[in-house]
Amino acid sequence: MTRCWEGEHNTHAAIAGVGVLVYCVLLPLAFAYVLLVLVPKKGLQNKDMLNSFGFLYHRFEPHLWWWELIEIFRKLTFVTIAAWGQTMEPINQSSLATVAVLLVLLLELYFHPFRSALFDLLEEFTTLTEVGVVGGKEPVVVVGVGRS
């Protein structure tokens, strides 16, 4: 049996550390640079930008090209709570995660960020379900959410 922070565990921890660095630091910073510096400089419809980075912003309404940063916020919130919230009571972890997801849900309901009304509806329903799961309750189905 391998003990924590001894032998083989150190190797696995180092490999996991690289993954955490890439997923939680480098990737969000790269996406933020693209969305906050390159896209405004070169334009949303620039052919090279669309080919290289359109997956970050093209599915959103043109005035909400930065919405992927909200998605990154949601993911980083969960990673942060999982990593540094271990000393917290589970109810407090759940409460923090629920507040973060509720904030994203409210923003989605207010802005309807996707170009497609169907995508908006699906994202809002998924986020609402996430609120139920993270909050430890059964998902609530709301009919009529989204734009017509």
Side-chain angles (χ1 to χ4, degrees), residues 84-95:
W84 288 286
Q86 293 177 349
T87 59
M88 300 170 68
E89 292 293 321
I91 188 71
N92 293 336
Q93 289 178 334
S94 179
S95 297

Side-chain angles (χ1 to χ4, degrees), residues 33-109:
Y33 176 76
V34 167
L35 289 170
L36 298 175
V37 177
L38 292 182
V39 169
K41 182 193 254 185
K42 297 190 177 191
L44 291 172
Q45 300 305 320
N46 179 288
K47 193 175 195 174
D48 291 333
M49 291 301 295
L50 275 171
N51 288 335
S52 299
F53 304 112
F55 70 96
L56 289 174
Y57 64 87
H58 192 66
R59 66 186 180 270
F60 304 116
E61 293 285 351
H63 67 284
L64 296 170
W65 50 267
W66 47 267
W67 193 264
E68 185 64 28
L69 295 174
I70 300 294
E71 297 298 323
I72 291 171
F73 163 77
R74 178 199 329 226
K75 293 172 188 172
L76 288 180
T77 300
F78 283 140
V79 170
T80 302
I81 291 169
W84 288 286
Q86 293 177 349
T87 59
M88 300 170 68
E89 292 293 321
I91 188 71
N92 293 336
Q93 289 178 334
S94 179
S95 297
L96 282 174
T98 302
V99 167
V101 176
L102 271 174
L103 177 63
V104 171
L105 177 62
L106 291 173
L107 290 170
E108 287 172 355
L109 290 171

Side-chain angles (χ1 to χ4, degrees), residues 2-10 13-14:
T2 302
R3 300 187 66 170
C4 288
W5 303 112
E6 292 180 6
E8 195 176 316
H9 184 263
N10 283 337

